[in-house]
Amino acid sequence: MTAVDWLDDVHRLFPKETVERLERDAVERYGIQEIVTDPAVLERVEPSPTLLRAVLRTKHLMNPQVLRLARRIVDSVVRQLLARLRPEIRRAFHGTRSRRPSRVAVARDFDFRQTVRANLAHYQPAERRLLIERAHFHSRTQRHVTQWQLILLVDQSGSMAGSVIHSAVTAACLWGLPGLKTHLIAFDTQVVDLTSEVTDPVELLMRVQLGGGTDIARAVEYGAGLVENPRRTIVALVTDFYEGGDPYRLLRTVRALVEQGSTVLGLAALDEDANPDYDRQLAGRLATAGAHIGAMTPGHLAEFVAERLGR
């Protein structure tokens, strides 16, 4: 049975959710790369984040015809991510909570006290529960912000595929926000400044080449050279912290950034799951040097940046 035959049968026999799971397992568990390198398969396959990661890992093996078909997967998944993440990221910059009510139903702005107070008449003592006829929400005040820089340094080693994708989409969502100047830098043993392509995350991802070595120190030094106002700069380093370069050079650069007033954020993951796999020893040494270390979803990164801008 060929990959095309298998895919046809899967699409005929199973619902969409099952098809997506089977395609993901085919690529991730069984290494059936024909799913993203065979033109006949690419025409039938259902775009998904898993297939996008597979495309990014194998696109250097593709001929121009296959690349054109693979681009459909990249474009489709990026559009889905933008549609899902852009409102969440932009909302983080809409201001702090105020005492005024809001008609916009957003979970993070839920007003618990006012909701309970307004619905006490519907309390049912026998069942010990409160029926909510109308939920209440806080509004947000608009922040007045001064110019800040966000310098995203993204490790493009093979294990960081999910974070590379979400970094590109996050940068596109942040681009053009008032008071924020965004840079996007990809690195392995070399450093590539992709800031000029942030507005087109599809083209940007087609340029990224996953794999190779890792020189985090070189990337952080490059980022340090972009800093305009240290006390208005966030350097976000997205990496698994497995340093192939000079760790002492990395620590010196991070310590210098912190001492001059910049916020250094080390992210072991930047995607929807935020499940980190990283060198805890080096991450701990960076934390000792003054960096904030963690794993975040794109929405949480946006909230972190928005809090700094609002100061």
Side-chain angles (χ1 to χ4, degrees), residues 169-202:
V169 173
T170 301
C173 294
L174 293 172
W175 186 262
L177 284 173
L180 184 64
K181 182 178 180 181
T182 304
H183 306 260
L184 181 62
I185 318 300
F187 68 91
D188 42 33
T189 54
Q190 302 298 317
V191 176
V192 182
D193 195 328
L194 299 171
T195 304
S196 62
E197 297 182 42
V198 163
T199 55
D200 187 354
V202 175

Side-chain angles (χ1 to χ4, degrees), residues 19 22 26 39 54 96 113 124 137 139 141 152 179 184-185 235 244 246 258 265 271 277 282 292 300 303 305:
V19 170
L22 288 169
T96 54
R113 292 179 180 275
Q124 298 181 331
F137 299 86
S139 64
T141 58
L152 268 172
L184 181 62
I185 318 300
V235 179
D246 184 349
V258 171
L265 184 60
D271 58 24
D277 177 17
L282 181 58
H292 303 268
H300 284 123
E303 289 180 3
V305 174

Side-chain angles (χ1 to χ4, degrees), residues 106-123:
V106 179
R108 66 196 293 265
D109 296 333
F110 179 65
D111 188 339
F112 175 80
R113 292 179 180 275
Q114 183 59 29
T115 298
V116 170
R117 189 179 297 116
N119 291 276
L120 281 175
H122 309 300
Y123 179 66

Side-chain angles (χ1 to χ4, degrees), residues 5 51 94 114 146:
D5 296 331
L51 294 179
H94 286 174
Q114 183 59 29
T146 54

Side-chain angles (χ1 to χ4, degrees), residues 250-272:
L250 172 60
L251 288 166
R252 284 195 303 271
T253 308
V254 168
R255 190 174 291 110
L257 282 166
V258 171
E259 288 175 352
Q260 69 183 10
S262 298
T263 299
V264 179
L265 184 60
L267 300 181
L270 183 66
D271 58 24
E272 291 168 314

Side-chain angles (χ1 to χ4, degrees), residues 35-274:
I35 289 183
V36 288
T37 57
D38 186 324
V41 178
L42 280 170
E43 289 177 346
R44 293 169 170 79
V45 78
E46 188 73 32
S48 70
T50 295
L51 294 179
L52 173 52
R53 291 193 293 271
V55 166
L56 296 186
R57 291 190 182 106
T58 59
K59 61 186 174 65
H60 64 288
L61 304 173
M62 299 177 184
N63 61 42
Q65 178 196 0
V66 177
L67 264 179
R68 283 194 297 271
L69 293 170
R71 191 183 180 91
R72 176 183 72 93
I73 293 175
V74 178
D75 183 72
S76 176
V77 177
V78 166
R79 286 178 185 275
Q80 293 171 19
L81 289 172
L82 283 170
R84 188 159 61 248
L85 294 178
R86 182 173 277 134
E88 179 183 357
I89 289 174
R90 299 274 170 142
R91 194 181 303 124
F93 291 82
H94 286 174
T96 54
R97 287 181 176 178
S98 73
R99 295 178 180 274
R100 293 178 301 166
S102 171
R103 295 182 180 179
V104 180
V106 179
R108 66 196 293 265
D109 296 333
F110 179 65
D111 188 339
F112 175 80
R113 292 179 180 275
Q114 183 59 29
T115 298
V116 170
R117 189 179 297 116
N119 291 276
L120 281 175
H122 309 300
Y123 179 66
Q124 298 181 331
E127 299 182 19
R128 300 186 67 182
R129 67 176 182 175
L130 181 69
L131 296 180
I132 304 298
E133 286 198 353
R134 182 186 173 191
H136 290 257
F137 299 86
H138 294 285
S139 64
R140 289 183 175 263
T141 58
Q142 188 67 32
R143 287 190 178 98
H144 173 72
V145 297
T146 54
Q147 185 69 40
W148 275 71
Q149 271 182 292
L150 172 64
I151 302 171
L152 268 172
L153 303 170
V154 185
D155 185 343
Q156 60 177 353
S157 58
S159 61
M160 297 298 294
S163 293
V164 170
I165 293 165
H166 282 80
S167 296
V169 173
T170 301
C173 294
L174 293 172
W175 186 262
L177 284 173
L180 184 64
K181 182 178 180 181
T182 304
H183 306 260
L184 181 62
I185 318 300
F187 68 91
D188 42 33
T189 54
Q190 302 298 317
V191 176
V192 182
D193 195 328
L194 299 171
T195 304
S196 62
E197 297 182 42
V198 163
T199 55
D200 187 354
V202 175
E203 187 60 38
L204 189 154
L205 288 172
M206 294 303 289
R207 281 195 57 190
V208 166
Q209 184 61 63
L210 296 177
T214 308
D215 192 337
I216 306 173
R218 173 178 288 190
V220 174
E221 279 192 350
Y222 181 88
L226 298 174
V227 174
E228 297 170 1
N229 181 348
R231 297 188 179 278
R232 290 287 183 269
T233 299
I234 299 170
V235 179
L237 173 63
V238 185
T239 180
D240 55 14
F241 300 104
Y242 289 104
E243 174 64 293
D246 184 349
Y248 298 101
R249 177 181 165 201
L250 172 60
L251 288 166
R252 284 195 303 271
T253 308
V254 168
R255 190 174 291 110
L257 282 166
V258 171
E259 288 175 352
Q260 69 183 10
S262 298
T263 299
V264 179
L265 184 60
L267 300 181
L270 183 66
D271 58 24
E272 291 168 314
D273 299 322

